[in-house]
Amino acid sequence: MAEIRAEITANVWQVVVEEGQMVAEGDEICILESMKMEIPVVTEVPGVVRELHVAPEQTVQEGDLIAVIDEA
Amino acid sequence: MTGPRSREGGDVHEWGPLVGDLAQRKARALGMGGPELVERQHSLGKLTVRERLDLLLDPGTWVEYGLLADHMDPGLGDRYLAADGAVTGVGEIDGRPVAVAAYDFTVMAGSMGKVGEDKIARMRAHALRQRIPMVWLLDSAGARIQSTSGSSFAGAGALFREQVAMSGVVPMVAAMLGHCAAGTAYIPALADFVPMVKGTSSMALGGRHLVKAAVGEDVTEEEMGGSAVHTRVSGVADLEVADDAECLRVVRRYLGFFPAHNGERPPVRATTDPVDRRVEELYGIVPTAPRRAYDVRKVVAAVADDHEVFWIKPEWARNIVTGLVRIGGQPVGVLANQPMVLGGALDVNAADKAARFVWLCDAFNIPLVFLHDVPGFIVGSAVEKQGIIRHGAKMLFAISEATVPKISVVMRKSYGAGYFVMNGLAYEADYIVAWPTAEIAVMGPDGAVNIIHRKTLAAIEDDDARAQKRLELAEEIRRNIDPYVAAGHAQLDDVIDPADTRLAIARGLRISADKRVDRPPRKHGVLPV
């Protein structure tokens, strides 16, 4: 299990994946919006998206859990 | 050592036994800690100190100091410690001399003994006198407690003070090739460049056993101070490498960018890559949509000679990238904001990484190039608690102090103090140009609209109408954020086609090659840290 956490306080702009979806290393999980920029959040491990904790227009704080990936 | 020692009477030219005895003594020293410990060193995936020197230096250039040294400590009795565990001497890298101090883990775990440390002190003095780089190959358990456990420690410590005196005068490299604790962890902290071998090297103020005793934590050297910690989390080390051989290659490559000392210019290398090469791949790399991210490392590689970049701290504070490149053969230090990480916004670690890199390049007359795409410093209560103001001030300090040629290219965003610390015009930029996509302003339109038009917006009761008005007002502000406005004020020296970025940098370097800056004399500034 790999946890993906927010690295910056931000608004969630888009969620790119769904729970249960397969992802490869480097795939985008969601796109945050902060500091005038779209900030892609990517997974560093391949696997299945086990949990998704964010939805569009929600705010995340630095360190908040975004997703849990079940490592392949 | 037993050998025929009789020099009285008999033959008057009986040299054979004497020369034979000398050869035996040298062979024994070159045998290091003996076959078993050499075998153990190899089984750990490490090379011996002698094999390392062969890979570090040009063949046939090694001149050793103190091969015949031993511990000379009555407390250690008859025990023989080859070279007292510290191999020292002078050799050449690409035909240029360097002083070397290499700890031998096969000799009492490379522990720092009195004689060995005297030898290394002699190398530090030599490096400073000759104004040549110093390289440490570190594979040492730290102080030799067996010899120094009492209060004679009160006289120790000159090694660090001397290293501080060398800083910025001659390049210093500390290669981490084993588990190093305490004394041998401060040596890299005071050096300029620290590569670490993955899996076999670590550094920590206290070794595993001391940590267990002192604070009760049960932790391995690797978990506490391995390359994963120091190249990704703490930022103490600069580069993670796969093995000893790669580490030594990296040291050679690194020093190729540097002069022998701060009174020289860095060595220019012949290149077949034309400085006026059009970099049209930049059109494909950098989106014109200002909020869209891309990998700025591709931009740095695209403008460098032969696309070659020597990254410094690539895995730490990845929101800014720092690397050594050549442009027209001339060594240059590049700083570029990385929109892919934190949107390229600056945080405390990015400011530290940038300040340190600027000090490194400035100390050794390596010109600086700044590629701007920065939305600013991250704001909010989290970063204030981390002291972003003092870290940001440190970056301002480093940029302001640097007197090497400084070239700025504003690619896209450059907002607020982010523009200053990326060497804006007011920071003695020698040549500052922008792409047509450049946005330079105190803050972005979406932030500015809420401050400038706060009352106007608050007076609108309908939510949709207010949102609409906010967009209109932001658009008004956006129209003034335009590189041609800055160019109209002559605050940019030129607006360029991105494909001409390499040429613009080369021109800037040529124009400012003989830069001189005079400042009022002082001991030193009071550094924000």
Side-chain angles (χ1 to χ4, degrees), chain B residues 75-122:
Chain B
L76 291 172
D78 287 343
R79 214 168 149 180
Y80 171 67
L81 298 184
D84 199 30
V87 177
T88 57
V90 180
E92 291 178 13
I93 293 177
D94 293 331
R96 304 192 306 154
V98 294
V100 182
Y103 287 90
D104 183 354
F105 196 77
T106 69
V107 176
M108 231 174 151
S111 57
M112 306 164 91
K114 168 80 171 70
V115 176
E117 289 307 303
D118 286 348
K119 287 171 60 178
I120 294 176
R122 188 158 159 73

mmCIF file of all heavy atoms in Angstrom, chain B residues 75-122:
data_model
loop_
_atom_site.group_PDB
_atom_site.id
_atom_site.type_symbol
_atom_site.label_atom_id
_atom_site.label_comp_id
_atom_site.label_asym_id
_atom_site.label_seq_id
_atom_site.Cartn_x
_atom_site.Cartn_y
_atom_site.Cartn_z
ATOM 1 N N GLY B 75 49.279 2.034 23.510
ATOM 2 C CA GLY B 75 48.059 1.372 23.953
ATOM 3 C C GLY B 75 47.613 0.273 23.008
ATOM 4 O O GLY B 75 46.885 -0.641 23.398
ATOM 5 N N LEU B 76 47.981 0.371 21.755
ATOM 6 C CA LEU B 76 47.567 -0.629 20.765
ATOM 7 C C LEU B 76 48.605 -1.728 20.602
ATOM 8 O O LEU B 76 48.452 -2.640 19.782
ATOM 9 C CB LEU B 76 47.270 0.032 19.415
ATOM 10 C CG LEU B 76 46.015 0.918 19.382
ATOM 11 C CD1 LEU B 76 45.932 1.676 18.064
ATOM 12 C CD2 LEU B 76 44.749 0.095 19.593
ATOM 13 N N GLY B 77 49.708 -1.621 21.363
ATOM 14 C CA GLY B 77 50.696 -2.688 21.413
ATOM 15 C C GLY B 77 51.343 -2.971 20.071
ATOM 16 O O GLY B 77 51.663 -2.058 19.315
ATOM 17 N N ASP B 78 51.505 -4.268 19.756
ATOM 18 C CA ASP B 78 52.237 -4.699 18.567
ATOM 19 C C ASP B 78 51.408 -4.616 17.293
ATOM 20 O O ASP B 78 51.889 -4.910 16.223
ATOM 21 C CB ASP B 78 52.662 -6.173 18.727
ATOM 22 C CG ASP B 78 53.789 -6.285 19.733
ATOM 23 O OD1 ASP B 78 54.417 -5.245 20.023
ATOM 24 O OD2 ASP B 78 54.022 -7.409 20.226
ATOM 25 N N ARG B 79 50.146 -4.311 17.451
ATOM 26 C CA ARG B 79 49.259 -4.331 16.300
ATOM 27 C C ARG B 79 49.791 -3.436 15.185
ATOM 28 O O ARG B 79 50.250 -2.327 15.442
ATOM 29 C CB ARG B 79 47.902 -3.794 16.764
ATOM 30 C CG ARG B 79 46.794 -4.474 16.051
ATOM 31 C CD ARG B 79 45.490 -4.160 16.703
ATOM 32 N NE ARG B 79 44.505 -4.183 15.636
ATOM 33 C CZ ARG B 79 43.235 -3.948 15.800
ATOM 34 N NH1 ARG B 79 42.788 -3.636 17.001
ATOM 35 N NH2 ARG B 79 42.419 -4.005 14.789
ATOM 36 N N TYR B 80 49.733 -3.909 13.935
ATOM 37 C CA TYR B 80 50.183 -3.105 12.799
ATOM 38 C C TYR B 80 48.972 -2.505 12.098
ATOM 39 O O TYR B 80 48.043 -3.220 11.729
ATOM 40 C CB TYR B 80 50.974 -3.977 11.823
ATOM 41 C CG TYR B 80 51.283 -3.265 10.525
ATOM 42 C CD1 TYR B 80 52.155 -2.177 10.507
ATOM 43 C CD2 TYR B 80 50.703 -3.681 9.326
ATOM 44 C CE1 TYR B 80 52.431 -1.505 9.326
ATOM 45 C CE2 TYR B 80 50.974 -3.016 8.142
ATOM 46 C CZ TYR B 80 51.835 -1.929 8.145
ATOM 47 O OH TYR B 80 52.105 -1.260 6.977
ATOM 48 N N LEU B 81 48.927 -1.198 11.935
ATOM 49 C CA LEU B 81 47.832 -0.550 11.219
ATOM 50 C C LEU B 81 48.391 0.120 9.970
ATOM 51 O O LEU B 81 49.029 1.179 10.038
ATOM 52 C CB LEU B 81 47.128 0.484 12.106
ATOM 53 C CG LEU B 81 46.455 -0.052 13.378
ATOM 54 C CD1 LEU B 81 45.712 1.073 14.098
ATOM 55 C CD2 LEU B 81 45.474 -1.189 13.074
ATOM 56 N N ALA B 82 48.173 -0.519 8.828
ATOM 57 C CA ALA B 82 48.757 -0.053 7.560
ATOM 58 C C ALA B 82 48.374 1.397 7.282
ATOM 59 O O ALA B 82 47.185 1.740 7.275
ATOM 60 C CB ALA B 82 48.273 -0.948 6.419
ATOM 61 N N ALA B 83 49.381 2.229 7.083
ATOM 62 C CA ALA B 83 49.205 3.666 6.780
ATOM 63 C C ALA B 83 48.362 4.367 7.845
ATOM 64 O O ALA B 83 47.849 5.451 7.635
ATOM 65 C CB ALA B 83 48.600 3.864 5.391
ATOM 66 N N ASP B 84 48.215 3.739 8.979
ATOM 67 C CA ASP B 84 47.327 4.151 10.073
ATOM 68 C C ASP B 84 45.892 4.369 9.586
ATOM 69 O O ASP B 84 45.160 5.230 10.106
ATOM 70 C CB ASP B 84 47.837 5.385 10.817
ATOM 71 C CG ASP B 84 47.172 5.496 12.218
ATOM 72 O OD1 ASP B 84 46.831 4.434 12.787
ATOM 73 O OD2 ASP B 84 46.980 6.621 12.706
ATOM 74 N N GLY B 85 45.504 3.612 8.575
ATOM 75 C CA GLY B 85 44.096 3.638 8.157
ATOM 76 C C GLY B 85 43.691 4.850 7.345
ATOM 77 O O GLY B 85 42.509 5.010 7.040
ATOM 78 N N ALA B 86 44.645 5.682 7.000
ATOM 79 C CA ALA B 86 44.318 6.871 6.206
ATOM 80 C C ALA B 86 45.359 7.027 5.105
ATOM 81 O O ALA B 86 46.521 7.299 5.381
ATOM 82 C CB ALA B 86 44.293 8.105 7.091
ATOM 83 N N VAL B 87 44.934 6.810 3.874
ATOM 84 C CA VAL B 87 45.857 6.892 2.744
ATOM 85 C C VAL B 87 45.814 8.316 2.201
ATOM 86 O O VAL B 87 44.736 8.840 1.900
ATOM 87 C CB VAL B 87 45.459 5.873 1.657
ATOM 88 C CG1 VAL B 87 46.382 5.997 0.450
ATOM 89 C CG2 VAL B 87 45.514 4.456 2.234
ATOM 90 N N THR B 88 46.983 8.953 2.113
ATOM 91 C CA THR B 88 47.018 10.360 1.694
ATOM 92 C C THR B 88 48.042 10.564 0.594
ATOM 93 O O THR B 88 49.037 9.826 0.511
ATOM 94 C CB THR B 88 47.394 11.279 2.868
ATOM 95 O OG1 THR B 88 48.654 10.852 3.404
ATOM 96 C CG2 THR B 88 46.342 11.235 3.968
ATOM 97 N N GLY B 89 47.812 11.547 -0.231
ATOM 98 C CA GLY B 89 48.764 11.857 -1.281
ATOM 99 C C GLY B 89 48.178 12.807 -2.303
ATOM 100 O O GLY B 89 47.090 13.369 -2.113
ATOM 101 N N VAL B 90 48.918 12.955 -3.403
ATOM 102 C CA VAL B 90 48.514 13.863 -4.465
ATOM 103 C C VAL B 90 48.492 13.080 -5.771
ATOM 104 O O VAL B 90 49.405 12.290 -6.036
ATOM 105 C CB VAL B 90 49.508 15.050 -4.571
ATOM 106 C CG1 VAL B 90 49.093 15.996 -5.685
ATOM 107 C CG2 VAL B 90 49.582 15.788 -3.241
ATOM 108 N N GLY B 91 47.447 13.271 -6.542
ATOM 109 C CA GLY B 91 47.359 12.647 -7.859
ATOM 110 C C GLY B 91 46.735 13.632 -8.823
ATOM 111 O O GLY B 91 46.527 14.800 -8.477
ATOM 112 N N GLU B 92 46.449 13.173 -10.034
ATOM 113 C CA GLU B 92 45.867 14.085 -11.020
ATOM 114 C C GLU B 92 44.545 13.565 -11.558
ATOM 115 O O GLU B 92 44.349 12.357 -11.684
ATOM 116 C CB GLU B 92 46.845 14.298 -12.185
ATOM 117 C CG GLU B 92 48.060 15.081 -11.761
ATOM 118 C CD GLU B 92 49.079 15.264 -12.889
ATOM 119 O OE1 GLU B 92 48.728 15.001 -14.060
ATOM 120 O OE2 GLU B 92 50.217 15.652 -12.577
ATOM 121 N N ILE B 93 43.644 14.506 -11.830
ATOM 122 C CA ILE B 93 42.379 14.212 -12.511
ATOM 123 C C ILE B 93 42.367 15.057 -13.774
ATOM 124 O O ILE B 93 42.461 16.285 -13.697
ATOM 125 C CB ILE B 93 41.171 14.544 -11.601
ATOM 126 C CG1 ILE B 93 41.139 13.598 -10.401
ATOM 127 C CG2 ILE B 93 39.870 14.462 -12.403
ATOM 128 C CD1 ILE B 93 40.027 13.874 -9.400
ATOM 129 N N ASP B 94 42.303 14.403 -14.914
ATOM 130 C CA ASP B 94 42.387 15.097 -16.211
ATOM 131 C C ASP B 94 43.608 16.020 -16.250
ATOM 132 O O ASP B 94 43.523 17.158 -16.719
ATOM 133 C CB ASP B 94 41.104 15.901 -16.490
ATOM 134 C CG ASP B 94 39.903 15.002 -16.694
ATOM 135 O OD1 ASP B 94 40.088 13.853 -17.161
ATOM 136 O OD2 ASP B 94 38.776 15.426 -16.363
ATOM 137 N N GLY B 95 44.718 15.524 -15.721
ATOM 138 C CA GLY B 95 45.969 16.278 -15.787
ATOM 139 C C GLY B 95 46.082 17.409 -14.779
ATOM 140 O O GLY B 95 47.051 18.174 -14.830
ATOM 141 N N ARG B 96 45.112 17.527 -13.861
ATOM 142 C CA ARG B 96 45.176 18.610 -12.876
ATOM 143 C C ARG B 96 45.296 18.021 -11.475
ATOM 144 O O ARG B 96 44.539 17.125 -11.103
ATOM 145 C CB ARG B 96 43.923 19.487 -12.979
ATOM 146 C CG ARG B 96 43.730 20.043 -14.402
ATOM 147 C CD ARG B 96 42.674 21.120 -14.461
ATOM 148 N NE ARG B 96 41.416 20.696 -13.906
ATOM 149 C CZ ARG B 96 40.513 21.532 -13.383
ATOM 150 N NH1 ARG B 96 40.773 22.817 -13.307
ATOM 151 N NH2 ARG B 96 39.376 21.084 -12.930
ATOM 152 N N PRO B 97 46.253 18.520 -10.673
ATOM 153 C CA PRO B 97 46.496 17.895 -9.364
ATOM 154 C C PRO B 97 45.362 18.082 -8.355
ATOM 155 O O PRO B 97 44.704 19.128 -8.338
ATOM 156 C CB PRO B 97 47.773 18.589 -8.865
ATOM 157 C CG PRO B 97 47.909 19.815 -9.670
ATOM 158 C CD PRO B 97 47.183 19.620 -10.963
ATOM 159 N N VAL B 98 45.157 17.050 -7.533
ATOM 160 C CA VAL B 98 44.244 17.122 -6.394
ATOM 161 C C VAL B 98 44.916 16.447 -5.204
ATOM 162 O O VAL B 98 45.688 15.507 -5.369
ATOM 163 C CB VAL B 98 42.893 16.402 -6.652
ATOM 164 C CG1 VAL B 98 42.098 17.087 -7.737
ATOM 165 C CG2 VAL B 98 43.093 14.937 -6.980
ATOM 166 N N ALA B 99 44.612 16.948 -3.999
ATOM 167 C CA ALA B 99 45.088 16.293 -2.777
ATOM 168 C C ALA B 99 43.989 15.322 -2.334
ATOM 169 O O ALA B 99 42.806 15.625 -2.441
ATOM 170 C CB ALA B 99 45.339 17.334 -1.697
ATOM 171 N N VAL B 100 44.423 14.147 -1.848
ATOM 172 C CA VAL B 100 43.448 13.111 -1.513
ATOM 173 C C VAL B 100 43.679 12.593 -0.099
ATOM 174 O O VAL B 100 44.826 12.368 0.315
ATOM 175 C CB VAL B 100 43.543 11.919 -2.496
ATOM 176 C CG1 VAL B 100 42.491 10.859 -2.161
ATOM 177 C CG2 VAL B 100 43.374 12.382 -3.937
ATOM 178 N N ALA B 101 42.575 12.409 0.640
ATOM 179 C CA ALA B 101 42.626 11.732 1.939
ATOM 180 C C ALA B 101 41.591 10.617 1.873
ATOM 181 O O ALA B 101 40.401 10.886 1.703
ATOM 182 C CB ALA B 101 42.273 12.698 3.059
ATOM 183 N N ALA B 102 42.059 9.366 1.966
ATOM 184 C CA ALA B 102 41.153 8.229 1.781
ATOM 185 C C ALA B 102 41.236 7.300 2.982
ATOM 186 O O ALA B 102 42.297 6.768 3.296
ATOM 187 C CB ALA B 102 41.523 7.479 0.501
ATOM 188 N N TYR B 103 40.108 7.144 3.659
ATOM 189 C CA TYR B 103 40.076 6.270 4.830
ATOM 190 C C TYR B 103 39.981 4.814 4.380
ATOM 191 O O TYR B 103 39.256 4.494 3.436
ATOM 192 C CB TYR B 103 38.883 6.624 5.725
ATOM 193 C CG TYR B 103 39.077 7.923 6.469
ATOM 194 C CD1 TYR B 103 38.664 9.131 5.918
ATOM 195 C CD2 TYR B 103 39.694 7.943 7.714
ATOM 196 C CE1 TYR B 103 38.850 10.331 6.595
ATOM 197 C CE2 TYR B 103 39.879 9.129 8.404
ATOM 198 C CZ TYR B 103 39.454 10.324 7.843
ATOM 199 O OH TYR B 103 39.648 11.512 8.523
ATOM 200 N N ASP B 104 40.728 3.949 5.080
ATOM 201 C CA ASP B 104 40.771 2.520 4.745
ATOM 202 C C ASP B 104 39.978 1.724 5.774
ATOM 203 O O ASP B 104 40.441 1.515 6.901
ATOM 204 C CB ASP B 104 42.235 2.057 4.717
ATOM 205 C CG ASP B 104 42.352 0.602 4.315
ATOM 206 O OD1 ASP B 104 41.316 -0.080 4.170
ATOM 207 O OD2 ASP B 104 43.502 0.144 4.153
ATOM 208 N N PHE B 105 38.795 1.272 5.365
ATOM 209 C CA PHE B 105 37.926 0.573 6.310
ATOM 210 C C PHE B 105 38.504 -0.758 6.764
ATOM 211 O O PHE B 105 38.138 -1.288 7.813
ATOM 212 C CB PHE B 105 36.535 0.358 5.683
ATOM 213 C CG PHE B 105 35.469 0.010 6.679
ATOM 214 C CD1 PHE B 105 34.908 0.988 7.497
ATOM 215 C CD2 PHE B 105 35.036 -1.304 6.835
ATOM 216 C CE1 PHE B 105 33.937 0.677 8.433
ATOM 217 C CE2 PHE B 105 34.055 -1.631 7.775
ATOM 218 C CZ PHE B 105 33.511 -0.636 8.574
ATOM 219 N N THR B 106 39.446 -1.331 5.986
ATOM 220 C CA THR B 106 40.020 -2.623 6.371
ATOM 221 C C THR B 106 41.027 -2.476 7.519
ATOM 222 O O THR B 106 41.482 -3.469 8.073
ATOM 223 C CB THR B 106 40.722 -3.333 5.188
ATOM 224 O OG1 THR B 106 41.913 -2.612 4.845
ATOM 225 C CG2 THR B 106 39.810 -3.437 3.980
ATOM 226 N N VAL B 107 41.371 -1.227 7.826
ATOM 227 C CA VAL B 107 42.305 -0.995 8.931
ATOM 228 C C VAL B 107 41.524 -0.385 10.095
ATOM 229 O O VAL B 107 41.161 0.794 10.065
ATOM 230 C CB VAL B 107 43.453 -0.068 8.494
ATOM 231 C CG1 VAL B 107 44.363 0.249 9.679
ATOM 232 C CG2 VAL B 107 44.248 -0.718 7.378
ATOM 233 N N MET B 108 41.195 -1.199 11.056
ATOM 234 C CA MET B 108 40.467 -0.768 12.239
ATOM 235 C C MET B 108 39.251 0.087 11.876
ATOM 236 O O MET B 108 39.026 1.171 12.419
ATOM 237 C CB MET B 108 41.387 -0.001 13.190
ATOM 238 C CG MET B 108 41.293 -0.551 14.603
ATOM 239 S SD MET B 108 42.487 0.228 15.673
ATOM 240 C CE MET B 108 41.596 0.108 17.204
ATOM 241 N N ALA B 109 38.470 -0.403 10.908
ATOM 242 C CA ALA B 109 37.220 0.241 10.462
ATOM 243 C C ALA B 109 37.421 1.687 10.010
ATOM 244 O O ALA B 109 36.512 2.512 10.093
ATOM 245 C CB ALA B 109 36.150 0.174 11.554
ATOM 246 N N GLY B 110 38.647 1.958 9.520
ATOM 247 C CA GLY B 110 38.911 3.318 9.025
ATOM 248 C C GLY B 110 38.850 4.370 10.101
ATOM 249 O O GLY B 110 38.673 5.559 9.812
ATOM 250 N N SER B 111 38.999 3.946 11.355
ATOM 251 C CA SER B 111 38.849 4.899 12.454
ATOM 252 C C SER B 111 39.953 5.959 12.412
ATOM 253 O O SER B 111 41.048 5.729 11.912
ATOM 254 C CB SER B 111 38.857 4.170 13.799
ATOM 255 O OG SER B 111 40.040 3.423 13.929
ATOM 256 N N MET B 112 39.625 7.134 12.920
ATOM 257 C CA MET B 112 40.520 8.284 12.842
ATOM 258 C C MET B 112 41.560 8.210 13.962
ATOM 259 O O MET B 112 41.258 8.517 15.107
ATOM 260 C CB MET B 112 39.715 9.577 12.977
ATOM 261 C CG MET B 112 38.566 9.679 11.983
ATOM 262 S SD MET B 112 37.364 10.968 12.437
ATOM 263 C CE MET B 112 38.036 12.381 11.578
ATOM 264 N N GLY B 113 42.770 7.818 13.610
ATOM 265 C CA GLY B 113 43.847 7.746 14.587
ATOM 266 C C GLY B 113 44.701 8.996 14.535
ATOM 267 O O GLY B 113 44.583 9.810 13.626
ATOM 268 N N LYS B 114 45.564 9.122 15.528
ATOM 269 C CA LYS B 114 46.395 10.331 15.631
ATOM 270 C C LYS B 114 47.296 10.508 14.411
ATOM 271 O O LYS B 114 47.337 11.582 13.803
ATOM 272 C CB LYS B 114 47.223 10.221 16.927
ATOM 273 C CG LYS B 114 48.356 11.214 17.086
ATOM 274 C CD LYS B 114 47.837 12.568 17.554
ATOM 275 C CE LYS B 114 48.977 13.511 17.935
ATOM 276 N NZ LYS B 114 49.753 13.975 16.768
ATOM 277 N N VAL B 115 47.995 9.427 14.030
ATOM 278 C CA VAL B 115 48.947 9.553 12.916
ATOM 279 C C VAL B 115 48.191 9.779 11.602
ATOM 280 O O VAL B 115 48.557 10.648 10.793
ATOM 281 C CB VAL B 115 49.848 8.304 12.828
ATOM 282 C CG1 VAL B 115 50.768 8.384 11.615
ATOM 283 C CG2 VAL B 115 50.675 8.167 14.108
ATOM 284 N N GLY B 116 47.134 9.022 11.400
ATOM 285 C CA GLY B 116 46.337 9.179 10.184
ATOM 286 C C GLY B 116 45.803 10.597 10.044
ATOM 287 O O GLY B 116 45.816 11.188 8.956
ATOM 288 N N GLU B 117 45.326 11.145 11.150
ATOM 289 C CA GLU B 117 44.789 12.507 11.101
ATOM 290 C C GLU B 117 45.892 13.536 10.866
ATOM 291 O O GLU B 117 45.673 14.543 10.196
ATOM 292 C CB GLU B 117 43.993 12.816 12.374
ATOM 293 C CG GLU B 117 42.661 12.071 12.451
ATOM 294 C CD GLU B 117 41.781 12.260 11.211
ATOM 295 O OE1 GLU B 117 41.457 13.410 10.858
ATOM 296 O OE2 GLU B 117 41.432 11.246 10.569
ATOM 297 N N ASP B 118 47.094 13.285 11.411
ATOM 298 C CA ASP B 118 48.228 14.172 11.116
ATOM 299 C C ASP B 118 48.519 14.167 9.615
ATOM 300 O O ASP B 118 48.828 15.195 9.010
ATOM 301 C CB ASP B 118 49.473 13.717 11.877
ATOM 302 C CG ASP B 118 49.388 14.047 13.372
ATOM 303 O OD1 ASP B 118 48.475 14.815 13.752
ATOM 304 O OD2 ASP B 118 50.224 13.539 14.139
ATOM 305 N N LYS B 119 48.432 12.968 9.018
ATOM 306 C CA LYS B 119 48.673 12.863 7.567
ATOM 307 C C LYS B 119 47.636 13.673 6.786
ATOM 308 O O LYS B 119 47.964 14.351 5.812
ATOM 309 C CB LYS B 119 48.586 11.382 7.142
ATOM 310 C CG LYS B 119 49.769 10.540 7.593
ATOM 311 C CD LYS B 119 49.522 9.052 7.349
ATOM 312 C CE LYS B 119 49.280 8.736 5.879
ATOM 313 N NZ LYS B 119 49.085 7.274 5.665
ATOM 314 N N ILE B 120 46.378 13.582 7.234
ATOM 315 C CA ILE B 120 45.316 14.297 6.511
ATOM 316 C C ILE B 120 45.461 15.798 6.704
ATOM 317 O O ILE B 120 45.253 16.580 5.771
ATOM 318 C CB ILE B 120 43.928 13.763 6.936
ATOM 319 C CG1 ILE B 120 43.793 12.307 6.468
ATOM 320 C CG2 ILE B 120 42.814 14.622 6.358
ATOM 321 C CD1 ILE B 120 42.522 11.614 6.906
ATOM 322 N N ALA B 121 45.880 16.200 7.910
ATOM 323 C CA ALA B 121 46.126 17.623 8.161
ATOM 324 C C ALA B 121 47.201 18.141 7.200
ATOM 325 O O ALA B 121 47.117 19.259 6.676
ATOM 326 C CB ALA B 121 46.557 17.833 9.607
ATOM 327 N N ARG B 122 48.208 17.301 6.950
ATOM 328 C CA ARG B 122 49.273 17.680 6.030
ATOM 329 C C ARG B 122 48.719 17.861 4.611
ATOM 330 O O ARG B 122 49.135 18.768 3.879
ATOM 331 C CB ARG B 122 50.351 16.585 6.065
ATOM 332 C CG ARG B 122 51.600 16.915 5.317
ATOM 333 C CD ARG B 122 52.764 16.068 5.827
ATOM 334 N NE ARG B 122 53.840 15.974 4.868
ATOM 335 C CZ ARG B 122 54.673 16.970 4.577
ATOM 336 N NH1 ARG B 122 54.554 18.121 5.184
ATOM 337 N NH2 ARG B 122 55.617 16.802 3.682
#
